[in-house]
Amino acid sequence: MTTRKQLGLAVVGCGVVGRMRATLAKDYPGIGWIGLTDMNEKVGKKLKEDIGADYYTNDFRELIARPEVDAVIIATSTWAHVEPTLAAVERGVPIFIEKPLATDARESFQVLEAIRKAKVDAVVGYTQRFRRRFLVVKSRIDSGQIGEVTACVIRAFMNQMAPIGEVRLTQDRRFLTPMVVSGTHSLDMAMWMLSAQTKPVSVYARSSDKIMNVHGTKDATMGVFQLDNGGIWSMNICWALPKVWPGAVYGLEIGIVGTKGAIDIEDTHRDVILASELGQGAGYRPEGLSFETTRNVDFLTSFPPGDMYGDELWGPMREETMTWFKRIYLGKDTPHATAEDGHRNLMLTMAMDLSAKLKKEIELPIDPDELMHGLID
């Protein structure tokens, strides 16, 4: 048997998601060295101590440039992915990038072009692809079991905890919208399932902002995509539900109709409900964030990354992360979202935002410059 060299891994960003992925890395036999970086020295050094990492610095460029590094995870805040990603691309190593590639469509295209030119293996974090129910639905659609898709509807409901946690770290919240930050997950799910058959050619959307405007973002965005095969796809998200809403983060309902059948997915997590006088606390609690609300009812398993048991994470983020390690260490083919998928998803979510702003239908595809000028002007 050939003995493979263990890999060195750089984790850029040691917050909620970076901590989860780095903790999984320490137990993967193909990872022999782990380096960490975070602007918050307290957070970074605490993770280094907890997992026994080999190195910490608050300079991501220094970490990525180290000779031990064979692969990089970009797990910084949503709006801070571009610079560390480009630094990793320059190193020419495999990269795992939390979505999105950028929050500016022009920068997203710049990142995609850099990845293409360097021919690096870059994937984007869309954890829900690794859940059993969605894998089997993808397989059945690809096999033609429901025929040609003619209609699709997705409804995503979230309480306010995740968006409040998302926007608190920056004052520039123009593009931290329900679709760009969170709706992108269910949009990716639809595109992953449908893209082998059809693609969107236009979108018409509307948004509301009665609740979350105090935080510099919107409450909800809902729209309809026209597909090139004549079908339609309704994409809807609201992340302004009360903080006491029992779902820790995400609740989905998906319906897909084809010429030979239909698929209906109830993914609201209402099948396992816990009610307690002791309260559940916050399902999403980043470092330094507290909520005045106590939730006494909880839809268990509704936190997208998974759940903790025995001090370990179990669920789709574990599957996604460990499968990526197999991808880069063993050369396995995996269902990860590609950089192309990530850029496409950003363009579609921002096209929904542009349509809502202009109150008119947007033809697709749209040029990144045209898209951003429309959103900024």
Side-chain angles (χ1 to χ4, degrees), residues 188-215:
D188 175 73
M189 188 60 56
M191 289 301 300
W192 184 50
M193 292 175 178
L194 305 183
S195 60
Q197 290 193 10
T198 184
K199 63 182 180 181
V201 294
S202 71
V203 64
Y204 183 80
R206 286 288 186 274
S207 294
S208 64
D209 62 353
K210 298 292 185 182
I211 302 168
M212 300 299 291
N213 57 358
V214 296
H215 299 288

Side-chain angles (χ1 to χ4, degrees), residues 8 27 46 52 71 73 81 89 122 135 140 144 163 188 198 203-204 219 222 243 254 282 336 350-351 355:
D27 292 330
K46 179 65 165 62
I73 292 176
H81 294 168
V89 170
L135 286 165
R140 295 303 179 92
D188 175 73
T198 184
V203 64
Y204 183 80
D219 301 345
M222 301 184 179
K243 297 171 190 173
I254 302 175
H336 288 90
M350 298 192 95
S355 176

Side-chain angles (χ1 to χ4, degrees), residues 51-67:
I51 69 171
D54 299 278
Y55 186 74
Y56 166 79
T57 176
N58 59 11
D59 184 344
F60 72 82
R61 297 185 188 280
E62 176 193 345
L63 174 62
I64 292 172
R66 289 188 66 89

Side-chain angles (χ1 to χ4, degrees), residues 78-82 100-112 172 174-176 180 342-343 346-347 349-350 367-373 375-376:
T78 297
W79 42 269
H81 294 168
V82 174
L101 295 180
T103 54
D104 182 305
R106 297 163 298 193
E107 292 181 344
S108 177
F109 184 69
Q110 175 191 359
V111 170
L112 176 60
D172 186 1
R174 293 172 297 168
F175 310 124
L176 298 181
V180 168
H343 177 67
L346 181 73
M347 295 296 292
T349 57
M350 298 192 95
D367 180 78
D369 287 322
E370 180 184 354
L371 177 58
M372 294 308 301
H373 284 313
L375 288 169
I376 294 171

Side-chain angles (χ1 to χ4, degrees), residues 113-355:
E113 286 294 277
I115 289 169
R116 286 171 171 168
K117 183 177 180 180
K119 298 180 179 179
V120 298
D121 181 28
V123 303
V124 183
Y126 282 97
T127 302
Q128 298 307 291
R129 289 191 181 199
F130 289 80
R131 293 179 60 198
R132 177 182 173 186
R133 60 179 49 199
F134 295 130
L135 286 165
V136 72
V137 168
K138 165 70 170 170
S139 176
R140 295 303 179 92
I141 292 175
D142 286 352
S143 70
Q145 195 159 1
I146 67 169
E148 182 182 5
V149 173
T150 62
C152 176
V153 60
I154 294 181
R155 190 209 75 174
F157 268 10
M158 303 171 61
N159 62 33
Q160 299 170 31
M161 293 187 295
I164 291 172
E166 184 68 44
V167 303
R168 68 194 172 98
L169 297 176
T170 178
Q171 293 302 309
D172 186 1
R173 302 167 182 178
R174 293 172 297 168
F175 310 124
L176 298 181
T177 65
M179 277 306 309
V180 168
V181 177
S182 290
T184 184
H185 285 288
S186 43
L187 181 140
D188 175 73
M189 188 60 56
M191 289 301 300
W192 184 50
M193 292 175 178
L194 305 183
S195 60
Q197 290 193 10
T198 184
K199 63 182 180 181
V201 294
S202 71
V203 64
Y204 183 80
R206 286 288 186 274
S207 294
S208 64
D209 62 353
K210 298 292 185 182
I211 302 168
M212 300 299 291
N213 57 358
V214 296
H215 299 288
T217 186
K218 298 184 183 302
D219 301 345
T221 300
M222 301 184 179
V224 176
F225 287 93
Q226 180 71 57
L227 304 177
D228 64 356
N229 69 347
I232 52 174
W233 161 28
S234 173
M235 174 69 235
N236 313 293
I237 182 170
C238 179
W239 67 357
L241 276 67
K243 297 171 190 173
V244 295
W245 180 255
V249 178
Y250 235 122
L252 291 178
E253 291 183 10
I254 302 175
I256 306 170
V257 180
T259 55
K260 301 295 183 182
I263 295 174
D264 188 58
I265 308 168
E266 198 280 325
D267 195 48
T268 61
H269 307 280
R270 297 175 189 170
D271 54 337
V272 185
I273 301 175
L274 171 65
S276 171
E277 295 177 357
L278 300 178
Q280 310 304 321
Y284 177 75
R285 194 188 293 275
E287 179 77 17
L289 182 65
S290 61
F291 294 98
E292 71 280 6
T293 302
T294 297
R295 290 161 38 307
N296 293 100
V297 178
D298 200 19
F299 296 159
L300 298 185
T301 74
S302 60
F303 186 49
D307 295 283
M308 300 300 295
Y309 178 79
D311 295 325
E312 289 195 44
L313 176 71
W314 299 89
M317 185 167 284
R318 182 187 187 94
E319 294 289 334
E320 180 187 41
T321 307
M322 301 301 273
T323 302
W324 182 64
F325 295 153
K326 292 179 183 179
R327 180 187 181 103
I328 62 175
Y329 186 63
L330 302 174
K332 296 284 187 180
D333 186 28
T334 67
H336 288 90
T338 64
E340 286 80 5
D341 294 338
H343 177 67
R344 174 205 64 202
N345 293 347
L346 181 73
M347 295 296 292
L348 293 179
T349 57
M350 298 192 95
M352 288 187 70
D353 287 341
L354 179 60
S355 176

Side-chain angles (χ1 to χ4, degrees), residues 18-79:
R19 167 173 281 274
M20 289 177 181
R21 299 203 193 275
T23 302
L24 291 168
K26 75 179 178 62
D27 292 330
Y28 187 75
I31 304 294
W33 184 92
I34 300 175
L36 307 173
T37 181
D38 196 286
M39 294 177 62
N40 187 325
E41 188 169 307
K42 177 182 176 183
V43 170
K45 288 188 173 180
K46 179 65 165 62
L47 180 57
K48 179 179 185 294
E49 177 184 344
D50 288 346
I51 69 171
D54 299 278
Y55 186 74
Y56 166 79
T57 176
N58 59 11
D59 184 344
F60 72 82
R61 297 185 188 280
E62 176 193 345
L63 174 62
I64 292 172
R66 289 188 66 89
E68 297 94 339
V69 173
D70 300 300
V72 177
I73 292 176
I74 308 296
T76 53
S77 297
T78 297
W79 42 269

